[in-house]
Amino acid sequence: MKRSRETAASELFAALYPRLAGWCRRLVDDDGTAHEIASEAFTRLWARWTSVAEPRGFLYVTAANLVRDHWRKLERERRAVRRATTEEAVRPPTEQADPSVRLLVQSLPERLRVPILLHYYADMPIREVSALTGRKEGTIKADLHAARELLRAHLGRSLDHTL
C-alpha cells in the first residue's frame, strides 16, 4: 500500500512538476522562487494525499495561493523600502503606474484573480475552474469577463499616461 502511494506520488510529480513550476515562473519572474512554490505545493499535497480528490487542481490552487503570498511579501518589502527612501528624501519622486499585467492581476480582488490565474495561466477549462472553486460555470465566466474589463481599463489608463 505505502509503495503504491509513493509510486503514484512519484508519477504525479514527474507528470505535473515541470508545468507547475513553469506556470509559477511566469507569475513570479524568478526560477528559484517558482521552484520553491511548486515544491511547497507538492509538499502540501503529500501531507493531504489521502484526502485530496483532485491532485492537479489542489496543486494549482495551492500554488496560486503561495504566489499571492509571495506577491504580498514583495509588496510589503517595497512599501518598507519606499518608506525608508521617503524619510531620507526631501520630496518623494512621483511613481509611474506599472502597466505590467502581472501586477495588475495581483491587484484584482481574489474572487476575480483566482479564476484568471487558473483559466489563463494554468490553462484550465472553465468547467474545471468551476469545480475547483465551487462556483457555477456562469459565475466563473462572469468573473473572467469582469476581470478582463478591469485589466483592460487599467492597461488603457497606463498606456494613456505613457503617450
Side-chain angles (χ1 to χ4, degrees), residues 42-115:
F42 270 95
T43 300
R44 291 181 184 190
L45 172 64
W46 180 251
R48 294 165 184 80
W49 185 255
T50 57
S51 64
V52 174
E54 178 51 51
R56 179 176 179 257
F58 178 90
L59 287 168
Y60 276 93
V61 169
T62 300
N65 289 336
L66 292 168
V67 165
R68 180 197 63 221
D69 293 345
H70 171 74
W71 286 343
R72 284 180 178 166
K73 178 183 174 205
L74 286 180
E75 183 55 33
R76 283 192 304 269
E77 290 172 356
R78 281 189 205 112
R79 279 195 304 258
V81 168
R82 229 179 283 135
R83 269 193 309 271
T85 306
T86 301
E87 290 170 3
E88 293 173 16
V90 174
R91 187 171 74 91
T94 314
E95 286 187 42
Q96 295 294 322
D98 187 348
S100 163
V101 174
R102 181 177 55 85
L103 292 176
L104 290 175
V105 169
Q106 173 189 351
S107 72
L108 290 172
E110 185 170 0
R111 175 183 69 81
L112 302 178
R113 184 178 56 248
V114 170

Side-chain angles (χ1 to χ4, degrees), residues 90-148:
V90 174
R91 187 171 74 91
T94 314
E95 286 187 42
Q96 295 294 322
D98 187 348
S100 163
V101 174
R102 181 177 55 85
L103 292 176
L104 290 175
V105 169
Q106 173 189 351
S107 72
L108 290 172
E110 185 170 0
R111 175 183 69 81
L112 302 178
R113 184 178 56 248
V114 170
I116 287 285
L117 290 174
L118 294 176
H119 183 66
Y120 291 108
Y121 287 87
D123 297 324
M124 289 185 184
I126 289 173
R127 170 184 30 80
E128 196 170 338
V129 174
S130 171
L132 289 173
T133 59
R135 293 168 24 216
K136 294 180 181 178
E137 287 185 34
T139 303
I140 296 300
K141 290 177 184 177
D143 288 347
L144 288 170
H145 175 75
R148 286 191 306 268

Side-chain angles (χ1 to χ4, degrees), residues 1-12 46 49-50:
M1 177 81 176
K2 184 174 183 172
R3 185 71 186 140
S4 64
R5 176 182 176 224
E6 290 176 2
T7 302
S10 178
E11 289 171 359
L12 184 72
W46 180 251
W49 185 255
T50 57

